[in-house]
Amino acid sequence: MNRPAVILGGTWQFPDPHILTLDSGMQVWAFNLPGQYIAALEIVMPTSLADEPRSIEGVATVALHAVDEGTHTHPDGRITELLELQGAALRGGAAQNHTRLGGDAPAHRLPAVMKLLAEVLEEPAFAAADIEHHVEMQVASFDSRVASPGWVAKQALRQVLFGTDSRAGRPAAGTPQTLKAMGRDDVIAWHAARWGATEATLILAGDLTGVDLKTALEPLNTWNNRATPATRDPLQTLQPQVVLVDMPAAVQATIQVGCLTVGRRHPDWAALKLAGHAMCGAFASRLNLELRERQGYTYGVGGGFTARRDDGQFSVGGSFRVNVAADALSRLLSGLQLEVPFSEAEIADAKRFLVGIAPLANETASDIVRQAAALAAVNEPASFVNEHFAALEVPSAHAVSAAFRDHISRDGVSVAISGPAQILMPALQAAGLDPVIVS
């Protein structure tokens, strides 16, 4: 029996939004997606965790999670009930340089949902009991995270990349000490100063056929709060470090390796994305084949290049048997030397995957909103997606190898390891590494 030929589909394009500006100053990106009857929405605000008072870090996260617990008009959870009656629920996150609040709702109910959303934005009650509840939730979440070797290693890497004097080097949602120090007045003050319509962007996607956007978005015209401009968290120039977080009870060693790099607007960005996929971003990537398939040291490693607001970051990591972790790290660092350049087959495979996965990664209204919101958060237009996919088709294997070698080296990366120091330290020292034990 002959197998049918498999033919790649045509070039996929990220949709173009209809852009408009509300009377409040908020910009709207509206994506009409026929057939997507469940619409997605997200408001992106250019807040900065660097503006949190250091004594109450985590206030941005608490404010976000408590904002829809009740309003002055509909207190004690009633506003949430009203949203649920419309088939809507809100969610979001407070990141280093922006806050996102959004959710999903039936497209034909957007006018009613927008009225409720405007109420949440303009008049949150921030009841003391709700603030206390969310502080407790964040403290419990922190306690859970610090028990995870994976989170500990990632946080330790952030600490050595950015330094503890930088907000980016400290936990994004605060610590128990800073969370417990905040009160209702702190949350109200953060919302009043940092949430505002003028610099915000609303991303909306779904089947908007028949939806009168002007009428639907009218409630948001009254949200006219002008937020205080966000502070840029200055970066320090730190030397690469190797650190070890002692977790005596851990049955595995978790390793995270990384460094800061150029960002999405650098000429090498497309080549670096391809290199990251070929090095550690796929099951058949070089480091995964070496450390999982050939050596059997791990269930898998993963990583690659990610863009930040003004620059980028390379990272790779995984969990390993404690008795082989030092050798695994040595092999990983050796792989980053790229002694053998990438082959044309490796880069062709990376191109097929990164370009070919785009339709699946942007299949739903929520996918479109998530991608567009990530771009709005860094002042990039939605058209960047198509520009990037076109750029991925260009670099040769030689250009990809050259870009990786220009920006990544064994001596230029920092390493964070979590696990039992009593076992790991001697093995790491024998491998020529001399980590510093940190908390």
Side-chain angles (χ1 to χ4, degrees):
M1 180 180 295
N2 294 327
R3 292 183 177 182
V6 177
I7 302 173
L8 292 177
T11 302
W12 176 86
Q13 292 285 305
F14 194 78
D16 292 324
H18 171 59
I19 298 177
L20 60 153
T21 301
L22 304 182
D23 293 345
S24 61
M26 182 191 297
Q27 190 175 79
V28 179
W29 297 4
F31 296 86
N32 186 22
L33 308 174
Q36 296 277 345
Y37 300 117
I38 301 299
L41 60 98
E42 196 147 333
I43 292 177
V44 183
M45 294 169 283
T47 59
S48 172
L49 297 188
D51 289 317
E52 291 181 317
R54 189 156 183 174
S55 61
I56 55 168
E57 287 181 348
V59 66
T61 298
V62 172
L64 173 69
H65 286 285
V67 75
D68 63 338
E69 291 283 7
T71 64
H72 293 297
T73 302
H74 296 101
D76 303 324
R78 180 56 179 161
I79 188 69
T80 302
E81 295 173 1
L82 293 174
L83 283 164
E84 289 175 350
L85 287 173
Q86 298 298 332
L90 299 183
R91 59 180 179 270
Q96 289 294 332
N97 294 300
H98 63 274
T99 294
R100 290 159 62 164
L101 174 67
D104 303 295
H108 70 281
R109 293 187 176 180
L110 282 175
V113 171
M114 289 299 170
K115 183 177 180 180
L116 295 170
L117 177 60
E119 185 178 321
V120 168
L121 293 167
E122 290 184 69
E123 50 166 297
F126 288 133
D130 293 331
I131 301 305
E132 291 173 7
H133 168 71
H134 283 286
V135 165
E136 291 173 359
M137 291 287 289
Q138 291 304 316
V139 169
S141 179
F142 182 90
D143 292 341
S144 176
R145 290 194 296 270
V146 296
S148 166
W151 184 87
V152 167
K154 289 180 179 178
Q155 181 58 38
L157 181 63
R158 293 187 65 83
Q159 185 172 311
V160 297
L161 289 181
F162 301 106
T164 55
D165 288 336
S166 168
R167 184 62 181 90
R170 302 192 296 274
T175 66
Q177 180 181 5
T178 63
L179 288 162
K180 292 176 182 178
M182 76 180 65
R184 177 173 182 260
D185 290 345
D186 298 312
V187 176
I188 291 173
W190 175 266
H191 175 269
R194 304 298 170 182
W195 286 42
T198 307
E199 302 299 327
T201 304
L202 168 63
I203 316 294
L204 179 63
D207 192 335
L208 304 180
T209 305
V211 176
D212 183 344
L213 275 182
K214 183 177 180 180
T215 300
L217 298 175
E218 190 171 319
L220 294 173
N221 282 325
T222 60
W223 183 40
N224 56 12
N225 187 48
R226 181 181 293 274
T228 303
T231 299
R232 293 290 182 92
D233 195 10
L235 284 179
Q236 306 174 67
T237 302
L238 302 177
Q239 293 300 312
Q241 302 177 64
V242 180
V243 298
L244 171 60
V245 185
D246 186 17
M247 302 187 73
V251 297
Q252 289 184 312
T254 301
I255 297 173
Q256 288 291 322
V257 176
C259 63
L260 296 181
T261 69
V262 297
R264 58 168 59 83
R265 283 298 178 182
H266 192 278
D268 288 341
W269 184 245
L272 290 175
K273 291 292 287 186
L274 294 167
H277 184 84
M279 178 60 72
C280 54
F283 184 84
S285 64
R286 287 195 176 187
L287 291 178
N288 200 57
L289 288 177
E290 172 64 18
L291 297 172
R292 173 190 161 106
E293 298 301 300
R294 298 190 187 100
Q295 304 301 326
Y297 286 172
T298 178
Y299 284 116
V301 298
F305 290 86
T306 54
R308 295 171 8 101
R309 177 188 289 273
D310 301 312
D311 56 12
Q313 182 176 334
F314 171 76
S315 60
V316 56
S319 295
F320 304 85
R321 301 199 319 270
V322 174
N323 63 320
V324 300
D327 187 58
L329 178 55
S330 294
R331 291 175 182 273
L332 189 157
L333 294 174
S334 294
L336 297 183
Q337 290 294 95
L338 197 65
E339 293 180 358
V340 178
F342 293 117
S343 68
E344 291 292 348
E346 287 178 298
I347 301 311
D349 180 71
K351 291 179 180 181
R352 281 194 298 270
F353 179 85
L354 293 177
V355 175
I357 199 68
L360 294 176
N362 296 277
E363 187 175 15
T364 67
S366 292
D367 295 332
I368 296 295
V369 165
R370 184 167 50 251
Q371 176 64 78
L375 292 171
V378 293
N379 297 319
E380 288 284 359
S383 59
F384 176 83
V385 179
N386 293 328
E387 294 173 20
H388 177 62
F389 286 134
L392 287 173
E393 300 280 12
V394 176
S396 65
H398 175 76
V400 171
S401 299
F404 189 84
R405 288 168 173 161
D406 283 346
H407 298 282
I408 304 297
S409 69
R410 177 188 178 120
D411 296 332
V413 295
S414 287
V415 179
I417 310 156
S418 62
Q422 186 176 5
I423 300 173
L424 290 169
M425 181 65 83
L428 291 166
Q429 290 174 333
L433 298 167
D434 190 18
V436 175
I437 296 181
V438 298
S439 61

